[in-house]
Every structure is written in C-alpha cells, then in structure tokens.
Amino acid sequence: MRSDDLRLPGDIALLRTGYALTAVIAATFGAIVWTLFDRSDNVVTSTVIALFGDPSRPWDLPGMHLLLVMPMGACVVVFVRSVLGWKTFGLFTPMLLALAYLQSGPIAGPVISTTAILIGMMAVPLLKSLNLSRVGFLGTLIAIVVSALGAMALEFRQPALVSAFPVVVTALIVERWWNAFEADGPKKAVRMTATTLAVALMIQGLVAAPPVVWLASERPLALPLASIVLMIVLGRYQGLRLSELSRFRAANHGA
Amino acid sequence: MTILGMNRRNALIARLNPREAIKGVNQKFETKERLAASGVPVPPTLALIASETEAATFDYARLPDAFAIKPNRGRRGEGVILVDGRVEGGWRKLNGEVLTERMLRAHVTRILAGELSLEGGNSDAALIEPLIRTHPDFARLVPFGLPDIRIICLGDVPLMAMTRLPTVESGGRANLHQGAVGAAIDFRDGAIFRAVLGQDEVFDHPSTNAALIGAVLPFWRETVDAARRCSGALGLGYVGVDLVIDATRGVQVLECNAYPGLEIQNVNAAGLGARIELVQRQQRAKARKTRGTRQAPDSLAGLRPFGSAGTVLRDVGREMAGRVAGALAIPAPLAA
C-alpha cells in the first residue's frame, strides 16, 4: 500500500482546515478587489478599509529606488533557487512581479496582478483551441488581460490603478502556468504559481522595508555592490538545497 | 557530503560535459553511430527518413511486422509508435489499435515537421528500429511495458545502477515519476537488493506480485561493460546510460543522458557524492604518479609563463582540495 492512499482522521481534518483557509483567503481577496474598484461606501468596502487601510495607496518610493533594489530582488531569487530549492516560473519572474507590485502599491499590486493572472488563466483554454503561434498567443493574451483590467478601471472610474501595470509580465506568467499545467499536472502548476507569488511578495516586503529605502537614498551604490558580492557567494554554493533534505531522505538514511 | 544535490550535479556537468557532447546525445541516430563505433551494442536502424522527398518514396511495405518509429530528436518518449504485427490494411500497435499506412505517413510528416521534437526544433528525422522485446528473465518480473536499466557513470567508472520496472499505474512506462518501480542493483552480481515505489520501499512488484529482492538481471557483466564505454564514445564525463535487454539481441544501449536525474540515490538508499569523490581522488592519485615519472616538461610550457603558473596553482589547489575532501569523506565501497 502506498502512503498517499492512506486517509487518516488527522489528514481529513487537515484537508478541511485547508479548504476553510482557502475560502477565507478567496473571500478576502474578492472583498479587496471590490474595494479597489468600487469606492462607494458599503459594508464590504468599509470593513476592508478598516482592516487593511486604503488598499489603493501607493508605495510612494523615489524613482531611483526601483532601479537600485533590482539587484537585491535578483539576490533573493538566487537564494530561493539554489539554497531553498523552491521552483518558480522562469528565472527572474518573481523579481519582475515584485517590481510590478512596487509600481502599484502594497495591496493593490499583488491583488491586481493576481486578478490579471486569473483572468488570463480563464482565457488560455479558449486561446489554445485556436491553435495560435506562440507570439500570436502571447499578444492576444496581453490584449485580453489589458481589456479586462481596463474595463474594470473604467467602469469604476479608477484609471490610475492600472495605468502603469506591467501586463507583459502577467501574460508570461499565465503562459508558463499553462505549460506547467500541461507538463506536470494541476497540482504542481498551482504549487509553482503559489511559490512564484510568495517569492514576489517576499521581495516586495524586503526591498520596500524602511531600512532598505533609507540605505538606497543615503548610499545609493551600497545595495547593488553588496548584492554582487552576495550573489557571487550564493552562485558558488554547491551544497544541498533545503528542499533536497526531504527529497533525499531515503538516500540519506542508507548512506 | 554523501548525497549529490542539484547544485553540485550541475557544477559537475558544467565541468565534465562539453556543450557539443550534450547537444550530440539529443540526436538518437548520430549517438547510435558513435556508440557502435566504440563497440557499444545499440539497436539496429531499419530506416532513417530525413526529408519529405525520402518519405514520399519510402516503401512502407518492406517494413517488418514489428518495429518502433520515433523522432530522432524526441523528448521523453513522445511521438513513439510501437508496432507489433500486421493486420488487414496495416499494422497492429502494441496497445491493440490499428495503424494504417496513411496514419503512419501522417505521423512521419508530423515528425519531419519537428512537432514531436525537443523545443527549438522545426525539422527532424524519423527513425525506424526493430521492436525491442523484453528478455524472459525480465518479463518474469513484469510481463508488460519495457523495463530498462539506468547506470550512472563517471568517465568509464560505473557509480550506481537501478532498473525501472513499469507498473499498471505507470501505463507501461518505465518512469519513476509516473509510478514505475525503481530497483537498486548490486554491481557485483546484478541482483536487486532494494526496490522503491514512490516514497515507499517495496519487496514485490505491485502489479505482478513477483518477488523483486534477490532477482538477478540477465547479462549483467555485458550490461555494465556496455555502459562503461558510453562516456568515452560520446565525450561525456558524467553520463546516465539507459539500457534494455532484448530477448534476441541481448544488451542494447537505448539512450545516454547528459543530465541524469538524482532519484537513483533514493532507490539505492545511498549517495552519489561520496562515490564521485572516491573516484576523483583515485584519478588524481593516478595522475600524480604519471606526472612524477614523466621526465622532460612540455617545451611550450617555458614560452607561456602565465599558462604554466596557472597549471601549478591549479595543481596545488587540487592537492589541497583533495586533502580536505580526503579528511572529510567517508569511504564507501563502490559495489553497493
């Protein structure tokens, strides 16, 4: 009998907790999207504002900051890949995604990009059935995501929200998601999407942290130079990845 | 460090496997030619259809009753059709479906257009080989699908071996991730000493209930011998050799992998890292010995002071690294 055939009471409880958590996250997510686009005063919007503050507030970072922290984001990606061993879409997709967040705001960024990705995911099966070339597919996907976001922004008179949103990154993520879905199945694809978003959130939190912002304004070159050193060190790391500790459990017990 | 992780494997491959050699193993026909030239047994080629004009004039009627058709630069067994006999108006596929000559032609066209090949390919060739039938000793363990043997070699030194046995769940495919059983093989006698399904250790085959532990593979000496020659033939310093045992032709190398997976360590319950270190230490010791007996230095070495300085530094570094690794490494016997 294989271990994944077992359905113990503890497993079932865990599964139910997981479902409940997913439902709560989905509901919160929906409420935030609603508040972002519909600014009228009602129960949902006032609750969201009370809980999270105004979700459409921007980061308000100096223009140079975005450029200076890019190496730091890359550094996090290198760390996540070769030390933690988490699988993300593409090489530096999480970093690009985090930059997109920085342009739109701490809450608006993740929420709008996830919405755009969800819209794209729904459009993919339709586009795949049209047998387009890869470029044609990506172009159409970009147009669809833009149309959906633009329609929401215009309908609720919030054009500033999506004006500078990097749609190309979103389209690339949707395409990679679909490739992973076809090659490795839904479970792995969902996991990789979640990891990509989580790493992007981590990078956002790190590069917008007050000490980092202060350092970037006081010693502009300190961050990129430190990142270079750190990435050279990380790039030479040849030990086991964190994820491999559990992957090679069987090999380790015997050795 | 006894387990070989992804980071160290990639560094090893970057150092030992040249780019052209890695590209080379993606082409099945060219790989077979190279292997055959070094005396490695490979499946014979019935036909190689390289262009549309060749496909148009190809006489499909002269194909034997049982054959396999595959894209020359295929990936993961995609686009492979296995034919097992003739029926009215065509052939019978291994899964029982009928393959007419028109369907076969359409498939060849798809292969030639590169639709079934590795990414970045927009043209390919179709390779036709006789169908491989599993050796009876193997078929006793699992009567369906094609079980294969994977041997990881560092140069001509075999490091670790396993056999992948298809199950009903894996759909007859010898792929561990799709539910095939992985069984570790003892180099000394070719006997299975441990078997794994997914994360769990098993003792019998889950679909046939045949006892796996202690089962001895046929032609084991020839199998290891064939695997050892692949590295030199293909120019790969670190290679995963996939072999099958055909009922009539015996050992055949099906494929060589320049990026062999690491799952074999879980199947063997042992790490590749320690074995690689042991082999490299022995190779370094051998190299030192031959350097000591050589008399005159290279006449060019004097003309390139920086070149020779670099060599000296590298040798010193190696020596030091060898000493450190030697102090840390746990000696592991090569045979399981």
Side-chain angles (χ1 to χ4, degrees), chain A residues 192-210:
Chain A
M192 266 170 90
T193 313
T195 317
T196 307
L197 292 180
V199 174
L201 275 175
M202 263 167 56
I203 295 175
Q204 172 186 238
L206 182 69
V207 300

PDB file of all heavy atoms in Angstrom, chain A residues 192-210:
ATOM      1  N   MET A 192       3.621  25.841  -8.102  1.00  0.00           N
ATOM      2  CA  MET A 192       4.622  26.743  -8.651  1.00  0.00           C
ATOM      3  C   MET A 192       4.102  28.170  -8.718  1.00  0.00           C
ATOM      4  O   MET A 192       4.837  29.126  -8.451  1.00  0.00           O
ATOM      5  CB  MET A 192       5.037  26.274 -10.047  1.00  0.00           C
ATOM      6  CG  MET A 192       6.267  25.400 -10.026  1.00  0.00           C
ATOM      7  SD  MET A 192       6.563  24.641 -11.600  1.00  0.00           S
ATOM      8  CE  MET A 192       7.581  25.847 -12.396  1.00  0.00           C
ATOM      9  N   THR A 193       2.808  28.328  -9.079  1.00  0.00           N
ATOM     10  CA  THR A 193       2.231  29.666  -9.113  1.00  0.00           C
ATOM     11  C   THR A 193       2.273  30.272  -7.721  1.00  0.00           C
ATOM     12  O   THR A 193       2.671  31.437  -7.542  1.00  0.00           O
ATOM     13  CB  THR A 193       0.773  29.605  -9.604  1.00  0.00           C
ATOM     14  OG1 THR A 193       0.714  28.784 -10.760  1.00  0.00           O
ATOM     15  CG2 THR A 193       0.253  30.985  -9.928  1.00  0.00           C
ATOM     16  N   ALA A 194       1.859  29.490  -6.715  1.00  0.00           N
ATOM     17  CA  ALA A 194       1.842  29.991  -5.342  1.00  0.00           C
ATOM     18  C   ALA A 194       3.248  30.381  -4.907  1.00  0.00           C
ATOM     19  O   ALA A 194       3.459  31.436  -4.287  1.00  0.00           O
ATOM     20  CB  ALA A 194       1.265  28.931  -4.412  1.00  0.00           C
ATOM     21  N   THR A 195       4.255  29.536  -5.245  1.00  0.00           N
ATOM     22  CA  THR A 195       5.639  29.854  -4.864  1.00  0.00           C
ATOM     23  C   THR A 195       6.088  31.156  -5.521  1.00  0.00           C
ATOM     24  O   THR A 195       6.704  32.009  -4.880  1.00  0.00           O
ATOM     25  CB  THR A 195       6.585  28.715  -5.291  1.00  0.00           C
ATOM     26  OG1 THR A 195       5.980  27.478  -4.974  1.00  0.00           O
ATOM     27  CG2 THR A 195       7.904  28.831  -4.589  1.00  0.00           C
ATOM     28  N   THR A 196       5.775  31.286  -6.827  1.00  0.00           N
ATOM     29  CA  THR A 196       6.188  32.493  -7.542  1.00  0.00           C
ATOM     30  C   THR A 196       5.608  33.735  -6.873  1.00  0.00           C
ATOM     31  O   THR A 196       6.318  34.717  -6.625  1.00  0.00           O
ATOM     32  CB  THR A 196       5.722  32.411  -9.010  1.00  0.00           C
ATOM     33  OG1 THR A 196       6.179  31.187  -9.572  1.00  0.00           O
ATOM     34  CG2 THR A 196       6.276  33.569  -9.820  1.00  0.00           C
ATOM     35  N   LEU A 197       4.304  33.684  -6.549  1.00  0.00           N
ATOM     36  CA  LEU A 197       3.660  34.838  -5.915  1.00  0.00           C
ATOM     37  C   LEU A 197       4.252  35.088  -4.534  1.00  0.00           C
ATOM     38  O   LEU A 197       4.492  36.237  -4.143  1.00  0.00           O
ATOM     39  CB  LEU A 197       2.142  34.601  -5.807  1.00  0.00           C
ATOM     40  CG  LEU A 197       1.393  34.566  -7.138  1.00  0.00           C
ATOM     41  CD1 LEU A 197      -0.095  34.321  -6.894  1.00  0.00           C
ATOM     42  CD2 LEU A 197       1.582  35.867  -7.900  1.00  0.00           C
ATOM     43  N   ALA A 198       4.507  34.004  -3.791  1.00  0.00           N
ATOM     44  CA  ALA A 198       5.045  34.172  -2.438  1.00  0.00           C
ATOM     45  C   ALA A 198       6.433  34.810  -2.478  1.00  0.00           C
ATOM     46  O   ALA A 198       6.733  35.719  -1.697  1.00  0.00           O
ATOM     47  CB  ALA A 198       5.117  32.825  -1.728  1.00  0.00           C
ATOM     48  N   VAL A 199       7.281  34.351  -3.402  1.00  0.00           N
ATOM     49  CA  VAL A 199       8.624  34.930  -3.511  1.00  0.00           C
ATOM     50  C   VAL A 199       8.528  36.393  -3.915  1.00  0.00           C
ATOM     51  O   VAL A 199       9.258  37.249  -3.397  1.00  0.00           O
ATOM     52  CB  VAL A 199       9.479  34.128  -4.516  1.00  0.00           C
ATOM     53  CG1 VAL A 199      10.825  34.803  -4.734  1.00  0.00           C
ATOM     54  CG2 VAL A 199       9.704  32.721  -4.006  1.00  0.00           C
ATOM     55  N   ALA A 200       7.593  36.699  -4.833  1.00  0.00           N
ATOM     56  CA  ALA A 200       7.412  38.096  -5.239  1.00  0.00           C
ATOM     57  C   ALA A 200       7.008  38.949  -4.037  1.00  0.00           C
ATOM     58  O   ALA A 200       7.511  40.059  -3.850  1.00  0.00           O
ATOM     59  CB  ALA A 200       6.354  38.189  -6.335  1.00  0.00           C
ATOM     60  N   LEU A 201       6.102  38.419  -3.210  1.00  0.00           N
ATOM     61  CA  LEU A 201       5.677  39.152  -2.005  1.00  0.00           C
ATOM     62  C   LEU A 201       6.858  39.357  -1.058  1.00  0.00           C
ATOM     63  O   LEU A 201       7.030  40.436  -0.481  1.00  0.00           O
ATOM     64  CB  LEU A 201       4.570  38.381  -1.283  1.00  0.00           C
ATOM     65  CG  LEU A 201       3.154  38.623  -1.798  1.00  0.00           C
ATOM     66  CD1 LEU A 201       2.177  37.706  -1.079  1.00  0.00           C
ATOM     67  CD2 LEU A 201       2.758  40.076  -1.592  1.00  0.00           C
ATOM     68  N   MET A 202       7.687  38.293  -0.915  1.00  0.00           N
ATOM     69  CA  MET A 202       8.868  38.399  -0.058  1.00  0.00           C
ATOM     70  C   MET A 202       9.784  39.506  -0.542  1.00  0.00           C
ATOM     71  O   MET A 202      10.274  40.332   0.244  1.00  0.00           O
ATOM     72  CB  MET A 202       9.648  37.075  -0.086  1.00  0.00           C
ATOM     73  CG  MET A 202       9.358  36.137   1.069  1.00  0.00           C
ATOM     74  SD  MET A 202      10.013  34.495   0.733  1.00  0.00           S
ATOM     75  CE  MET A 202      11.734  34.830   0.418  1.00  0.00           C
ATOM     76  N   ILE A 203      10.029  39.523  -1.859  1.00  0.00           N
ATOM     77  CA  ILE A 203      10.926  40.537  -2.418  1.00  0.00           C
ATOM     78  C   ILE A 203      10.325  41.920  -2.192  1.00  0.00           C
ATOM     79  O   ILE A 203      11.023  42.862  -1.803  1.00  0.00           O
ATOM     80  CB  ILE A 203      11.155  40.277  -3.923  1.00  0.00           C
ATOM     81  CG1 ILE A 203      11.885  38.953  -4.115  1.00  0.00           C
ATOM     82  CG2 ILE A 203      11.951  41.408  -4.544  1.00  0.00           C
ATOM     83  CD1 ILE A 203      12.040  38.557  -5.554  1.00  0.00           C
ATOM     84  N   GLN A 204       9.009  42.037  -2.412  1.00  0.00           N
ATOM     85  CA  GLN A 204       8.360  43.329  -2.206  1.00  0.00           C
ATOM     86  C   GLN A 204       8.566  43.804  -0.773  1.00  0.00           C
ATOM     87  O   GLN A 204       8.976  44.939  -0.526  1.00  0.00           O
ATOM     88  CB  GLN A 204       6.864  43.237  -2.490  1.00  0.00           C
ATOM     89  CG  GLN A 204       6.135  44.503  -2.087  1.00  0.00           C
ATOM     90  CD  GLN A 204       4.636  44.404  -2.211  1.00  0.00           C
ATOM     91  OE1 GLN A 204       4.041  45.175  -2.920  1.00  0.00           O
ATOM     92  NE2 GLN A 204       4.026  43.461  -1.517  1.00  0.00           N
ATOM     93  N   GLY A 205       8.304  42.900   0.170  1.00  0.00           N
ATOM     94  CA  GLY A 205       8.444  43.281   1.577  1.00  0.00           C
ATOM     95  C   GLY A 205       9.864  43.678   1.920  1.00  0.00           C
ATOM     96  O   GLY A 205      10.090  44.629   2.675  1.00  0.00           O
ATOM     97  N   LEU A 206      10.828  42.986   1.310  1.00  0.00           N
ATOM     98  CA  LEU A 206      12.229  43.259   1.625  1.00  0.00           C
ATOM     99  C   LEU A 206      12.688  44.589   1.048  1.00  0.00           C
ATOM    100  O   LEU A 206      13.252  45.433   1.767  1.00  0.00           O
ATOM    101  CB  LEU A 206      13.101  42.120   1.089  1.00  0.00           C
ATOM    102  CG  LEU A 206      14.587  42.247   1.382  1.00  0.00           C
ATOM    103  CD1 LEU A 206      14.837  42.055   2.867  1.00  0.00           C
ATOM    104  CD2 LEU A 206      15.380  41.232   0.582  1.00  0.00           C
ATOM    105  N   VAL A 207      12.426  44.796  -0.242  1.00  0.00           N
ATOM    106  CA  VAL A 207      13.005  45.976  -0.885  1.00  0.00           C
ATOM    107  C   VAL A 207      12.260  47.263  -0.529  1.00  0.00           C
ATOM    108  O   VAL A 207      12.780  48.356  -0.743  1.00  0.00           O
ATOM    109  CB  VAL A 207      13.068  45.822  -2.423  1.00  0.00           C
ATOM    110  CG1 VAL A 207      13.906  44.632  -2.791  1.00  0.00           C
ATOM    111  CG2 VAL A 207      11.696  45.745  -3.015  1.00  0.00           C
ATOM    112  N   ALA A 208      11.053  47.148   0.023  1.00  0.00           N
ATOM    113  CA  ALA A 208      10.329  48.357   0.416  1.00  0.00           C
ATOM    114  C   ALA A 208      10.424  48.585   1.922  1.00  0.00           C
ATOM    115  O   ALA A 208       9.793  49.499   2.452  1.00  0.00           O
ATOM    116  CB  ALA A 208       8.870  48.258  -0.015  1.00  0.00           C
ATOM    117  N   ALA A 209      11.210  47.768   2.615  1.00  0.00           N
ATOM    118  CA  ALA A 209      11.366  47.939   4.062  1.00  0.00           C
ATOM    119  C   ALA A 209      12.099  49.247   4.347  1.00  0.00           C
ATOM    120  O   ALA A 209      13.003  49.633   3.598  1.00  0.00           O
ATOM    121  CB  ALA A 209      12.156  46.763   4.636  1.00  0.00           C
ATOM    122  N   PRO A 210      11.702  49.958   5.410  1.00  0.00           N
ATOM    123  CA  PRO A 210      12.285  51.282   5.707  1.00  0.00           C
ATOM    124  C   PRO A 210      13.813  51.306   5.714  1.00  0.00           C
ATOM    125  O   PRO A 210      14.395  52.233   5.127  1.00  0.00           O
ATOM    126  CB  PRO A 210      11.709  51.602   7.082  1.00  0.00           C
ATOM    127  CG  PRO A 210      10.434  50.848   7.142  1.00  0.00           C
ATOM    128  CD  PRO A 210      10.612  49.616   6.319  1.00  0.00           C
TER     129      PRO A 210
END
